[in-house]
């Protein structure tokens, strides 16, 4: 099975500073990676995904992520954090399961809580 | 438009009640999903419908019964739930669950379920 790990439970940054949320992956074959954000009492919102192509992926709300094959990482970044970026962030990888034939699912990391202080 | 809607937003039910959660999307997506999410944890996949047929059931107890009446609607029927079933229930949709699995899943806002 494919998996992702988010090594930090919590990230705290000051508003205006760069924000990085870390994600490493473990896959056999090509990695298909996603980032989602969840604000309190809300559903998950899609930020960006890496399928193939450029290693730097640009997404919603000024976020971008860098795919690094040698380090098996897909870190989420924002050059200048806002207080409104405070939320729970999930990294996910395309996964499948024995017996599922051609069906796929997302396997999520444990999540990283980001707090941006004013 | 990437909107998935879910009703109700909140639901409180007793262990003997029968209730249903509803999910709707009008993006023409042919894959729809139910997830269960506990506080500050990642979503856990429950069911997947592909082209209105149940494709994946992640060993969910029978007190949860999914239904896909048409390509835009997904229901989750609840009966004889336990307090530990209290959680945020999320619906999602994507263009397909096949085709390399690279299609983005779009999530609804969720239904906050409390079982007393």
């Amino acid at each position: 099975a494919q998996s992702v790990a988010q090594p930090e439970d919590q990230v705290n940054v000051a508003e205006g500073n760069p924000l990085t949320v870390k994600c490493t992956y473990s896959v056999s074959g090509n990695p298909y990676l996603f980032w989602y954000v969840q604000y309190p009492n809300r559903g998950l919102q899609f930020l960006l995904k890496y399928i193939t192509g450029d290693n730097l992926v640009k997404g919603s709300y000024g976020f971008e992520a860098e795919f690094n094959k040698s380090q098996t990482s897909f870190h989420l970044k924002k050059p200048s954090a806002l207080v409104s970026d405070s939320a729970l962030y999930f990294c996910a990888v395309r996964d499948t399961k024995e017996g599922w034939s051609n069906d796929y699912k997302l396997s999520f990391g444990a999540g990283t809580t980001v707090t941006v202080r004013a | 438009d990437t909107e998935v809607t879910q009703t109700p937003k909140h639901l409180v039910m007793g262990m003997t009640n029968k209730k249903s959660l509803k999910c709707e999307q009008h993006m023409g997506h042919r894959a729809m999903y139910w997830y269960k999410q506990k506080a500050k944890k990642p979503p856990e996949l429950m069911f997947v419908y592909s082209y209105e047929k149940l494709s994946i059931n992640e060993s969910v107890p029978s007190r949860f019964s999914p239904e896909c009446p048409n390509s835009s609607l997904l229901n989750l029927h609840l009966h004889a739930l336990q307090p530990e079933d209290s959680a945020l229930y999320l619906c999602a949709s994507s263009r397909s669950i096949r085709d390399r699995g690279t299609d983005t899943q779009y999530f609804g806002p969720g239904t906050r379920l409390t079982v007393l």
Side-chain angles (χ1 to χ4, degrees), chain A residues 32 36 38 41 43-44 46 49 51 90 94 97 100 103-106 109, chain B residues 37 41-42 55-56 58 97-98 100-102 104-105 107-109 112:
Chain A
Y32 299 135
Y36 285 86
Q38 186 173 32
N41 299 310
L44 276 68
F46 170 70
K49 66 182 178 183
I51 304 301
F90 290 105
R94 183 202 75 169
K97 197 169 181 179
W100 280 11
D103 295 341
Y104 297 98
K105 68 167 187 171
L106 287 178
Chain B
Q37 187 183 26
K41 298 292 186 183
S55 178
I56 296 172
E58 283 284 69
I97 62 169
R98 301 189 173 182
R100 302 185 304 151
T102 56
T104 299
Q105 288 186 29
F107 285 78
R112 176 73 61 190

PDB file of all heavy atoms in Angstrom, chain A residues 32 36 38 41 43-44 46 49 51 90 94 97 100 103-106 109, chain B residues 37 41-42 55-56 58 97-98 100-102 104-105 107-109 112:
ATOM      1  N   TYR A  32       1.170   9.847  -6.993  1.00  0.00           N
ATOM      2  CA  TYR A  32       0.167  10.868  -7.286  1.00  0.00           C
ATOM      3  C   TYR A  32      -0.240  11.456  -5.946  1.00  0.00           C
ATOM      4  O   TYR A  32      -0.839  10.775  -5.128  1.00  0.00           O
ATOM      5  CB  TYR A  32      -1.025  10.270  -8.014  1.00  0.00           C
ATOM      6  CG  TYR A  32      -0.657   9.656  -9.349  1.00  0.00           C
ATOM      7  CD1 TYR A  32      -1.150   8.413  -9.714  1.00  0.00           C
ATOM      8  CD2 TYR A  32       0.176  10.322 -10.238  1.00  0.00           C
ATOM      9  CE1 TYR A  32      -0.812   7.844 -10.940  1.00  0.00           C
ATOM     10  CE2 TYR A  32       0.518   9.770 -11.458  1.00  0.00           C
ATOM     11  CZ  TYR A  32       0.032   8.524 -11.807  1.00  0.00           C
ATOM     12  OH  TYR A  32       0.363   7.963 -13.003  1.00  0.00           O
ATOM     13  N   TYR A  36      -4.815  18.891   0.856  1.00  0.00           N
ATOM     14  CA  TYR A  36      -6.123  19.437   1.219  1.00  0.00           C
ATOM     15  C   TYR A  36      -5.980  20.263   2.482  1.00  0.00           C
ATOM     16  O   TYR A  36      -5.110  20.002   3.317  1.00  0.00           O
ATOM     17  CB  TYR A  36      -7.130  18.313   1.486  1.00  0.00           C
ATOM     18  CG  TYR A  36      -7.641  17.607   0.253  1.00  0.00           C
ATOM     19  CD1 TYR A  36      -6.946  16.535  -0.299  1.00  0.00           C
ATOM     20  CD2 TYR A  36      -8.827  18.008  -0.356  1.00  0.00           C
ATOM     21  CE1 TYR A  36      -7.422  15.883  -1.427  1.00  0.00           C
ATOM     22  CE2 TYR A  36      -9.312  17.362  -1.481  1.00  0.00           C
ATOM     23  CZ  TYR A  36      -8.600  16.309  -2.011  1.00  0.00           C
ATOM     24  OH  TYR A  36      -9.078  15.663  -3.130  1.00  0.00           O
ATOM     25  N   GLN A  38      -8.423  21.894   5.776  1.00  0.00           N
ATOM     26  CA  GLN A  38      -9.724  21.814   6.452  1.00  0.00           C
ATOM     27  C   GLN A  38      -9.798  22.896   7.515  1.00  0.00           C
ATOM     28  O   GLN A  38      -9.022  22.876   8.474  1.00  0.00           O
ATOM     29  CB  GLN A  38      -9.928  20.439   7.081  1.00  0.00           C
ATOM     30  CG  GLN A  38     -11.313  20.245   7.668  1.00  0.00           C
ATOM     31  CD  GLN A  38     -11.557  18.829   8.139  1.00  0.00           C
ATOM     32  OE1 GLN A  38     -10.634  18.137   8.579  1.00  0.00           O
ATOM     33  NE2 GLN A  38     -12.799  18.382   8.066  1.00  0.00           N
ATOM     34  N   ASN A  41     -14.729  22.841  11.555  1.00  0.00           N
ATOM     35  CA  ASN A  41     -16.119  22.456  11.287  1.00  0.00           C
ATOM     36  C   ASN A  41     -16.497  22.568   9.811  1.00  0.00           C
ATOM     37  O   ASN A  41     -17.646  22.868   9.480  1.00  0.00           O
ATOM     38  CB  ASN A  41     -17.081  23.306  12.138  1.00  0.00           C
ATOM     39  CG  ASN A  41     -16.834  23.100  13.613  1.00  0.00           C
ATOM     40  OD1 ASN A  41     -16.771  21.965  14.082  1.00  0.00           O
ATOM     41  ND2 ASN A  41     -16.643  24.183  14.341  1.00  0.00           N
ATOM     42  N   GLY A  43     -15.648  20.942   5.574  1.00  0.00           N
ATOM     43  CA  GLY A  43     -15.110  19.826   4.800  1.00  0.00           C
ATOM     44  C   GLY A  43     -13.709  20.125   4.325  1.00  0.00           C
ATOM     45  O   GLY A  43     -13.158  21.200   4.587  1.00  0.00           O
ATOM     46  N   LEU A  44     -13.123  19.172   3.611  1.00  0.00           N
ATOM     47  CA  LEU A  44     -11.777  19.363   3.074  1.00  0.00           C
ATOM     48  C   LEU A  44     -11.851  20.157   1.771  1.00  0.00           C
ATOM     49  O   LEU A  44     -12.714  19.907   0.927  1.00  0.00           O
ATOM     50  CB  LEU A  44     -11.114  18.004   2.790  1.00  0.00           C
ATOM     51  CG  LEU A  44     -10.426  17.320   3.959  1.00  0.00           C
ATOM     52  CD1 LEU A  44     -11.424  16.859   5.002  1.00  0.00           C
ATOM     53  CD2 LEU A  44      -9.596  16.143   3.459  1.00  0.00           C
ATOM     54  N   PHE A  46      -9.655  21.191  -1.623  1.00  0.00           N
ATOM     55  CA  PHE A  46      -8.521  20.820  -2.449  1.00  0.00           C
ATOM     56  C   PHE A  46      -7.619  22.033  -2.674  1.00  0.00           C
ATOM     57  O   PHE A  46      -8.088  23.121  -3.006  1.00  0.00           O
ATOM     58  CB  PHE A  46      -9.036  20.288  -3.789  1.00  0.00           C
ATOM     59  CG  PHE A  46      -7.982  20.088  -4.834  1.00  0.00           C
ATOM     60  CD1 PHE A  46      -7.050  19.083  -4.706  1.00  0.00           C
ATOM     61  CD2 PHE A  46      -7.924  20.917  -5.944  1.00  0.00           C
ATOM     62  CE1 PHE A  46      -6.082  18.887  -5.670  1.00  0.00           C
ATOM     63  CE2 PHE A  46      -6.966  20.748  -6.909  1.00  0.00           C
ATOM     64  CZ  PHE A  46      -6.036  19.721  -6.783  1.00  0.00           C
ATOM     65  N   LYS A  49      -2.361  19.298  -6.585  1.00  0.00           N
ATOM     66  CA  LYS A  49      -1.940  17.910  -6.737  1.00  0.00           C
ATOM     67  C   LYS A  49      -0.754  17.819  -7.674  1.00  0.00           C
ATOM     68  O   LYS A  49      -0.571  18.687  -8.546  1.00  0.00           O
ATOM     69  CB  LYS A  49      -3.089  17.035  -7.233  1.00  0.00           C
ATOM     70  CG  LYS A  49      -3.560  17.358  -8.652  1.00  0.00           C
ATOM     71  CD  LYS A  49      -4.740  16.454  -9.035  1.00  0.00           C
ATOM     72  CE  LYS A  49      -5.268  16.793 -10.436  1.00  0.00           C
ATOM     73  NZ  LYS A  49      -6.463  15.951 -10.784  1.00  0.00           N
ATOM     74  N   ILE A  51       0.793  15.162 -10.393  1.00  0.00           N
ATOM     75  CA  ILE A  51       0.576  13.938 -11.157  1.00  0.00           C
ATOM     76  C   ILE A  51       1.832  13.623 -11.961  1.00  0.00           C
ATOM     77  O   ILE A  51       2.389  12.530 -11.895  1.00  0.00           O
ATOM     78  CB  ILE A  51      -0.644  14.063 -12.095  1.00  0.00           C
ATOM     79  CG1 ILE A  51      -1.897  14.446 -11.273  1.00  0.00           C
ATOM     80  CG2 ILE A  51      -0.879  12.781 -12.872  1.00  0.00           C
ATOM     81  CD1 ILE A  51      -2.252  13.463 -10.188  1.00  0.00           C
ATOM     82  N   PHE A  90      -3.901  18.324   5.232  1.00  0.00           N
ATOM     83  CA  PHE A  90      -3.702  16.901   4.981  1.00  0.00           C
ATOM     84  C   PHE A  90      -2.991  16.695   3.643  1.00  0.00           C
ATOM     85  O   PHE A  90      -3.386  17.248   2.618  1.00  0.00           O
ATOM     86  CB  PHE A  90      -5.043  16.153   4.911  1.00  0.00           C
ATOM     87  CG  PHE A  90      -5.756  16.033   6.215  1.00  0.00           C
ATOM     88  CD1 PHE A  90      -6.870  16.823   6.483  1.00  0.00           C
ATOM     89  CD2 PHE A  90      -5.339  15.116   7.174  1.00  0.00           C
ATOM     90  CE1 PHE A  90      -7.546  16.714   7.681  1.00  0.00           C
ATOM     91  CE2 PHE A  90      -6.013  14.997   8.378  1.00  0.00           C
ATOM     92  CZ  PHE A  90      -7.110  15.801   8.634  1.00  0.00           C
ATOM     93  N   ARG A  94      -2.500   8.731  -3.896  1.00  0.00           N
ATOM     94  CA  ARG A  94      -3.360   7.738  -4.544  1.00  0.00           C
ATOM     95  C   ARG A  94      -2.943   6.359  -4.088  1.00  0.00           C
ATOM     96  O   ARG A  94      -1.770   6.034  -4.065  1.00  0.00           O
ATOM     97  CB  ARG A  94      -3.237   7.828  -6.056  1.00  0.00           C
ATOM     98  CG  ARG A  94      -4.167   6.881  -6.785  1.00  0.00           C
ATOM     99  CD  ARG A  94      -3.674   6.598  -8.168  1.00  0.00           C
ATOM    100  NE  ARG A  94      -2.538   5.675  -8.160  1.00  0.00           N
ATOM    101  CZ  ARG A  94      -2.048   5.104  -9.254  1.00  0.00           C
ATOM    102  NH1 ARG A  94      -2.577   5.374 -10.426  1.00  0.00           N
ATOM    103  NH2 ARG A  94      -1.014   4.288  -9.180  1.00  0.00           N
ATOM    104  N   LYS A  97      -5.884  -1.227  -3.312  1.00  0.00           N
ATOM    105  CA  LYS A  97      -5.937  -2.297  -2.329  1.00  0.00           C
ATOM    106  C   LYS A  97      -6.116  -3.601  -3.087  1.00  0.00           C
ATOM    107  O   LYS A  97      -6.772  -3.638  -4.129  1.00  0.00           O
ATOM    108  CB  LYS A  97      -7.133  -2.049  -1.406  1.00  0.00           C
ATOM    109  CG  LYS A  97      -7.123  -2.802  -0.096  1.00  0.00           C
ATOM    110  CD  LYS A  97      -8.232  -2.233   0.780  1.00  0.00           C
ATOM    111  CE  LYS A  97      -8.271  -2.921   2.114  1.00  0.00           C
ATOM    112  NZ  LYS A  97      -9.327  -2.360   2.984  1.00  0.00           N
ATOM    113  N   TRP A 100      -9.179  -4.753  -5.407  1.00  0.00           N
ATOM    114  CA  TRP A 100      -9.943  -3.629  -5.891  1.00  0.00           C
ATOM    115  C   TRP A 100      -9.873  -3.465  -7.395  1.00  0.00           C
ATOM    116  O   TRP A 100     -10.439  -2.529  -7.940  1.00  0.00           O
ATOM    117  CB  TRP A 100      -9.448  -2.326  -5.238  1.00  0.00           C
ATOM    118  CG  TRP A 100      -9.962  -2.108  -3.869  1.00  0.00           C
ATOM    119  CD1 TRP A 100     -10.618  -2.987  -3.064  1.00  0.00           C
ATOM    120  CD2 TRP A 100      -9.863  -0.894  -3.124  1.00  0.00           C
ATOM    121  NE1 TRP A 100     -10.930  -2.409  -1.866  1.00  0.00           N
ATOM    122  CE2 TRP A 100     -10.485  -1.135  -1.874  1.00  0.00           C
ATOM    123  CE3 TRP A 100      -9.314   0.357  -3.399  1.00  0.00           C
ATOM    124  CZ2 TRP A 100     -10.559  -0.139  -0.897  1.00  0.00           C
ATOM    125  CZ3 TRP A 100      -9.404   1.333  -2.422  1.00  0.00           C
ATOM    126  CH2 TRP A 100     -10.014   1.087  -1.185  1.00  0.00           C
ATOM    127  N   ASP A 103      -9.688   0.105  -9.108  1.00  0.00           N
ATOM    128  CA  ASP A 103     -10.217   1.193  -8.288  1.00  0.00           C
ATOM    129  C   ASP A 103      -9.144   1.766  -7.370  1.00  0.00           C
ATOM    130  O   ASP A 103      -8.302   1.039  -6.853  1.00  0.00           O
ATOM    131  CB  ASP A 103     -11.388   0.708  -7.446  1.00  0.00           C
ATOM    132  CG  ASP A 103     -12.574   0.311  -8.308  1.00  0.00           C
ATOM    133  OD1 ASP A 103     -12.617   0.739  -9.480  1.00  0.00           O
ATOM    134  OD2 ASP A 103     -13.427  -0.430  -7.822  1.00  0.00           O
ATOM    135  N   TYR A 104      -9.241   3.063  -7.172  1.00  0.00           N
ATOM    136  CA  TYR A 104      -8.270   3.750  -6.348  1.00  0.00           C
ATOM    137  C   TYR A 104      -8.964   4.500  -5.228  1.00  0.00           C
ATOM    138  O   TYR A 104     -10.136   4.802  -5.287  1.00  0.00           O
ATOM    139  CB  TYR A 104      -7.466   4.752  -7.185  1.00  0.00           C
ATOM    140  CG  TYR A 104      -6.661   4.109  -8.263  1.00  0.00           C
ATOM    141  CD1 TYR A 104      -7.132   4.055  -9.566  1.00  0.00           C
ATOM    142  CD2 TYR A 104      -5.436   3.535  -7.983  1.00  0.00           C
ATOM    143  CE1 TYR A 104      -6.398   3.450 -10.563  1.00  0.00           C
ATOM    144  CE2 TYR A 104      -4.694   2.930  -8.974  1.00  0.00           C
ATOM    145  CZ  TYR A 104      -5.184   2.889 -10.266  1.00  0.00           C
ATOM    146  OH  TYR A 104      -4.461   2.285 -11.247  1.00  0.00           O
ATOM    147  N   LYS A 105      -8.187   4.826  -4.215  1.00  0.00           N
ATOM    148  CA  LYS A 105      -8.680   5.680  -3.137  1.00  0.00           C
ATOM    149  C   LYS A 105      -7.548   6.614  -2.738  1.00  0.00           C
ATOM    150  O   LYS A 105      -6.424   6.510  -3.231  1.00  0.00           O
ATOM    151  CB  LYS A 105      -9.108   4.853  -1.934  1.00  0.00           C
ATOM    152  CG  LYS A 105      -7.945   4.171  -1.213  1.00  0.00           C
ATOM    153  CD  LYS A 105      -8.389   3.641   0.140  1.00  0.00           C
ATOM    154  CE  LYS A 105      -7.214   3.114   0.930  1.00  0.00           C
ATOM    155  NZ  LYS A 105      -7.583   2.788   2.340  1.00  0.00           N
ATOM    156  N   LEU A 106      -7.859   7.544  -1.841  1.00  0.00           N
ATOM    157  CA  LEU A 106      -6.844   8.411  -1.263  1.00  0.00           C
ATOM    158  C   LEU A 106      -6.453   7.886   0.103  1.00  0.00           C
ATOM    159  O   LEU A 106      -7.325   7.563   0.915  1.00  0.00           O
ATOM    160  CB  LEU A 106      -7.376   9.829  -1.109  1.00  0.00           C
ATOM    161  CG  LEU A 106      -7.536  10.678  -2.368  1.00  0.00           C
ATOM    162  CD1 LEU A 106      -8.131  12.033  -2.012  1.00  0.00           C
ATOM    163  CD2 LEU A 106      -6.199  10.852  -3.069  1.00  0.00           C
ATOM    164  N   GLY A 109      -2.392  11.466   5.185  1.00  0.00           N
ATOM    165  CA  GLY A 109      -1.509  11.578   6.328  1.00  0.00           C
ATOM    166  C   GLY A 109      -2.310  11.937   7.562  1.00  0.00           C
ATOM    167  O   GLY A 109      -3.515  12.184   7.500  1.00  0.00           O
TER     168      GLY A 109
ATOM    169  N   GLN B  37     -15.050  11.080   9.798  1.00  0.00           N
ATOM    170  CA  GLN B  37     -13.892  11.785  10.335  1.00  0.00           C
ATOM    171  C   GLN B  37     -14.102  12.119  11.804  1.00  0.00           C
ATOM    172  O   GLN B  37     -15.060  12.813  12.157  1.00  0.00           O
ATOM    173  CB  GLN B  37     -13.599  13.064   9.554  1.00  0.00           C
ATOM    174  CG  GLN B  37     -12.305  13.736   9.979  1.00  0.00           C
ATOM    175  CD  GLN B  37     -12.045  15.044   9.264  1.00  0.00           C
ATOM    176  OE1 GLN B  37     -12.959  15.717   8.820  1.00  0.00           O
ATOM    177  NE2 GLN B  37     -10.760  15.407   9.153  1.00  0.00           N
ATOM    178  N   LYS B  41      -8.506  14.142  13.109  1.00  0.00           N
ATOM    179  CA  LYS B  41      -7.984  12.930  12.475  1.00  0.00           C
ATOM    180  C   LYS B  41      -8.263  12.987  10.976  1.00  0.00           C
ATOM    181  O   LYS B  41      -9.134  13.731  10.538  1.00  0.00           O
ATOM    182  CB  LYS B  41      -8.658  11.683  13.061  1.00  0.00           C
ATOM    183  CG  LYS B  41      -8.398  11.487  14.547  1.00  0.00           C
ATOM    184  CD  LYS B  41      -6.949  11.152  14.824  1.00  0.00           C
ATOM    185  CE  LYS B  41      -6.733  10.823  16.284  1.00  0.00           C
ATOM    186  NZ  LYS B  41      -5.302  10.573  16.584  1.00  0.00           N
ATOM    187  N   PRO B  42      -7.532  12.192  10.194  1.00  0.00           N
ATOM    188  CA  PRO B  42      -7.830  12.181   8.755  1.00  0.00           C
ATOM    189  C   PRO B  42      -9.153  11.463   8.476  1.00  0.00           C
ATOM    190  O   PRO B  42      -9.599  10.642   9.288  1.00  0.00           O
ATOM    191  CB  PRO B  42      -6.650  11.393   8.163  1.00  0.00           C
ATOM    192  CG  PRO B  42      -6.107  10.599   9.289  1.00  0.00           C
ATOM    193  CD  PRO B  42      -6.355  11.377  10.534  1.00  0.00           C
ATOM    194  N   SER B  55     -18.926   0.201  -5.267  1.00  0.00           N
ATOM    195  CA  SER B  55     -17.648  -0.318  -5.735  1.00  0.00           C
ATOM    196  C   SER B  55     -16.757  -0.752  -4.587  1.00  0.00           C
ATOM    197  O   SER B  55     -16.054  -1.756  -4.678  1.00  0.00           O
ATOM    198  CB  SER B  55     -16.942   0.771  -6.555  1.00  0.00           C
ATOM    199  OG  SER B  55     -15.674   0.336  -6.988  1.00  0.00           O
ATOM    200  N   ILE B  56     -16.769   0.008  -3.511  1.00  0.00           N
ATOM    201  CA  ILE B  56     -15.905  -0.281  -2.377  1.00  0.00           C
ATOM    202  C   ILE B  56     -16.705  -0.134  -1.083  1.00  0.00           C
ATOM    203  O   ILE B  56     -17.399   0.855  -0.881  1.00  0.00           O
ATOM    204  CB  ILE B  56     -14.691   0.683  -2.345  1.00  0.00           C
ATOM    205  CG1 ILE B  56     -13.812   0.464  -3.575  1.00  0.00           C
ATOM    206  CG2 ILE B  56     -13.887   0.485  -1.070  1.00  0.00           C
ATOM    207  CD1 ILE B  56     -12.702   1.489  -3.732  1.00  0.00           C
ATOM    208  N   GLU B  58     -15.617  -0.485   2.846  1.00  0.00           N
ATOM    209  CA  GLU B  58     -14.461  -0.714   3.685  1.00  0.00           C
ATOM    210  C   GLU B  58     -14.840  -1.385   5.006  1.00  0.00           C
ATOM    211  O   GLU B  58     -14.523  -0.894   6.090  1.00  0.00           O
ATOM    212  CB  GLU B  58     -13.738   0.614   3.963  1.00  0.00           C
ATOM    213  CG  GLU B  58     -12.905   1.105   2.800  1.00  0.00           C
ATOM    214  CD  GLU B  58     -11.599   0.337   2.661  1.00  0.00           C
ATOM    215  OE1 GLU B  58     -11.630  -0.855   2.298  1.00  0.00           O
ATOM    216  OE2 GLU B  58     -10.525   0.929   2.896  1.00  0.00           O
ATOM    217  N   ILE B  97     -13.179   6.901 -10.285  1.00  0.00           N
ATOM    218  CA  ILE B  97     -12.185   6.315  -9.377  1.00  0.00           C
ATOM    219  C   ILE B  97     -11.224   5.426 -10.143  1.00  0.00           C
ATOM    220  O   ILE B  97     -10.332   4.834  -9.562  1.00  0.00           O
ATOM    221  CB  ILE B  97     -12.825   5.496  -8.243  1.00  0.00           C
ATOM    222  CG1 ILE B  97     -13.628   4.312  -8.791  1.00  0.00           C
ATOM    223  CG2 ILE B  97     -13.683   6.364  -7.368  1.00  0.00           C
ATOM    224  CD1 ILE B  97     -14.029   3.349  -7.679  1.00  0.00           C
ATOM    225  N   ARG B  98     -11.411   5.381 -11.430  1.00  0.00           N
ATOM    226  CA  ARG B  98     -10.479   4.611 -12.247  1.00  0.00           C
ATOM    227  C   ARG B  98      -9.571   5.591 -12.975  1.00  0.00           C
ATOM    228  O   ARG B  98      -9.220   6.595 -12.422  1.00  0.00           O
ATOM    229  CB  ARG B  98     -11.261   3.715 -13.184  1.00  0.00           C
ATOM    230  CG  ARG B  98     -12.128   2.795 -12.353  1.00  0.00           C
ATOM    231  CD  ARG B  98     -12.794   1.729 -13.088  1.00  0.00           C
ATOM    232  NE  ARG B  98     -13.440   0.832 -12.118  1.00  0.00           N
ATOM    233  CZ  ARG B  98     -14.085  -0.252 -12.445  1.00  0.00           C
ATOM    234  NH1 ARG B  98     -14.190  -0.596 -13.709  1.00  0.00           N
ATOM    235  NH2 ARG B  98     -14.632  -1.009 -11.529  1.00  0.00           N
ATOM    236  N   ARG B 100      -6.393   5.799 -13.637  1.00  0.00           N
ATOM    237  CA  ARG B 100      -5.153   6.047 -12.891  1.00  0.00           C
ATOM    238  C   ARG B 100      -5.400   6.659 -11.518  1.00  0.00           C
ATOM    239  O   ARG B 100      -4.467   6.860 -10.763  1.00  0.00           O
ATOM    240  CB  ARG B 100      -4.191   6.945 -13.680  1.00  0.00           C
ATOM    241  CG  ARG B 100      -3.797   6.419 -15.045  1.00  0.00           C
ATOM    242  CD  ARG B 100      -2.750   7.325 -15.666  1.00  0.00           C
ATOM    243  NE  ARG B 100      -3.218   8.710 -15.745  1.00  0.00           N
ATOM    244  CZ  ARG B 100      -2.420   9.767 -15.714  1.00  0.00           C
ATOM    245  NH1 ARG B 100      -1.113   9.629 -15.595  1.00  0.00           N
ATOM    246  NH2 ARG B 100      -2.930  10.986 -15.802  1.00  0.00           N
ATOM    247  N   GLY B 101      -6.631   6.938 -11.169  1.00  0.00           N
ATOM    248  CA  GLY B 101      -6.911   7.458  -9.831  1.00  0.00           C
ATOM    249  C   GLY B 101      -6.366   8.844  -9.592  1.00  0.00           C
ATOM    250  O   GLY B 101      -6.098   9.224  -8.455  1.00  0.00           O
ATOM    251  N   THR B 102      -6.207   9.623 -10.642  1.00  0.00           N
ATOM    252  CA  THR B 102      -5.628  10.955 -10.479  1.00  0.00           C
ATOM    253  C   THR B 102      -6.670  12.058 -10.392  1.00  0.00           C
ATOM    254  O   THR B 102      -6.325  13.219 -10.228  1.00  0.00           O
ATOM    255  CB  THR B 102      -4.687  11.268 -11.665  1.00  0.00           C
ATOM    256  OG1 THR B 102      -5.430  11.125 -12.884  1.00  0.00           O
ATOM    257  CG2 THR B 102      -3.512  10.311 -11.688  1.00  0.00           C
ATOM    258  N   THR B 104      -9.313  14.559  -8.980  1.00  0.00           N
ATOM    259  CA  THR B 104      -9.440  15.224  -7.687  1.00  0.00           C
ATOM    260  C   THR B 104     -10.771  14.877  -7.045  1.00  0.00           C
ATOM    261  O   THR B 104     -11.810  14.874  -7.708  1.00  0.00           O
ATOM    262  CB  THR B 104      -9.347  16.740  -7.884  1.00  0.00           C
ATOM    263  OG1 THR B 104      -8.072  17.049  -8.451  1.00  0.00           O
ATOM    264  CG2 THR B 104      -9.518  17.481  -6.563  1.00  0.00           C
ATOM    265  N   GLN B 105     -10.747  14.608  -5.758  1.00  0.00           N
ATOM    266  CA  GLN B 105     -11.971  14.434  -4.991  1.00  0.00           C
ATOM    267  C   GLN B 105     -12.364  15.786  -4.407  1.00  0.00           C
ATOM    268  O   GLN B 105     -11.535  16.466  -3.799  1.00  0.00           O
ATOM    269  CB  GLN B 105     -11.776  13.430  -3.865  1.00  0.00           C
ATOM    270  CG  GLN B 105     -11.653  12.002  -4.347  1.00  0.00           C
ATOM    271  CD  GLN B 105     -11.612  11.022  -3.201  1.00  0.00           C
ATOM    272  OE1 GLN B 105     -12.175  11.249  -2.127  1.00  0.00           O
ATOM    273  NE2 GLN B 105     -10.935   9.914  -3.419  1.00  0.00           N
ATOM    274  N   PHE B 107     -14.888  17.662  -1.744  1.00  0.00           N
ATOM    275  CA  PHE B 107     -15.611  17.308  -0.532  1.00  0.00           C
ATOM    276  C   PHE B 107     -16.741  18.291  -0.241  1.00  0.00           C
ATOM    277  O   PHE B 107     -16.624  19.495  -0.505  1.00  0.00           O
ATOM    278  CB  PHE B 107     -14.658  17.305   0.668  1.00  0.00           C
ATOM    279  CG  PHE B 107     -13.742  16.116   0.703  1.00  0.00           C
ATOM    280  CD1 PHE B 107     -12.623  16.058  -0.109  1.00  0.00           C
ATOM    281  CD2 PHE B 107     -14.002  15.037   1.546  1.00  0.00           C
ATOM    282  CE1 PHE B 107     -11.771  14.967  -0.089  1.00  0.00           C
ATOM    283  CE2 PHE B 107     -13.154  13.939   1.571  1.00  0.00           C
ATOM    284  CZ  PHE B 107     -12.045  13.903   0.750  1.00  0.00           C
ATOM    285  N   GLY B 108     -17.801  17.759   0.365  1.00  0.00           N
ATOM    286  CA  GLY B 108     -18.845  18.599   0.905  1.00  0.00           C
ATOM    287  C   GLY B 108     -18.461  19.099   2.290  1.00  0.00           C
ATOM    288  O   GLY B 108     -17.426  18.720   2.829  1.00  0.00           O
ATOM    289  N   PRO B 109     -19.313  19.952   2.889  1.00  0.00           N
ATOM    290  CA  PRO B 109     -19.010  20.534   4.201  1.00  0.00           C
ATOM    291  C   PRO B 109     -19.192  19.570   5.353  1.00  0.00           C
ATOM    292  O   PRO B 109     -18.726  19.837   6.460  1.00  0.00           O
ATOM    293  CB  PRO B 109     -19.999  21.700   4.310  1.00  0.00           C
ATOM    294  CG  PRO B 109     -21.122  21.291   3.437  1.00  0.00           C
ATOM    295  CD  PRO B 109     -20.536  20.507   2.319  1.00  0.00           C
ATOM    296  N   ARG B 112     -22.396  16.919  10.880  1.00  0.00           N
ATOM    297  CA  ARG B 112     -21.907  16.618  12.234  1.00  0.00           C
ATOM    298  C   ARG B 112     -22.958  15.774  12.933  1.00  0.00           C
ATOM    299  O   ARG B 112     -24.042  16.246  13.243  1.00  0.00           O
ATOM    300  CB  ARG B 112     -21.680  17.924  12.999  1.00  0.00           C
ATOM    301  CG  ARG B 112     -21.269  17.744  14.449  1.00  0.00           C
ATOM    302  CD  ARG B 112     -19.850  17.268  14.606  1.00  0.00           C
ATOM    303  NE  ARG B 112     -18.893  18.209  14.037  1.00  0.00           N
ATOM    304  CZ  ARG B 112     -17.604  17.934  13.876  1.00  0.00           C
ATOM    305  NH1 ARG B 112     -17.134  16.741  14.223  1.00  0.00           N
ATOM    306  NH2 ARG B 112     -16.791  18.804  13.355  1.00  0.00           N
TER     307      ARG B 112
END
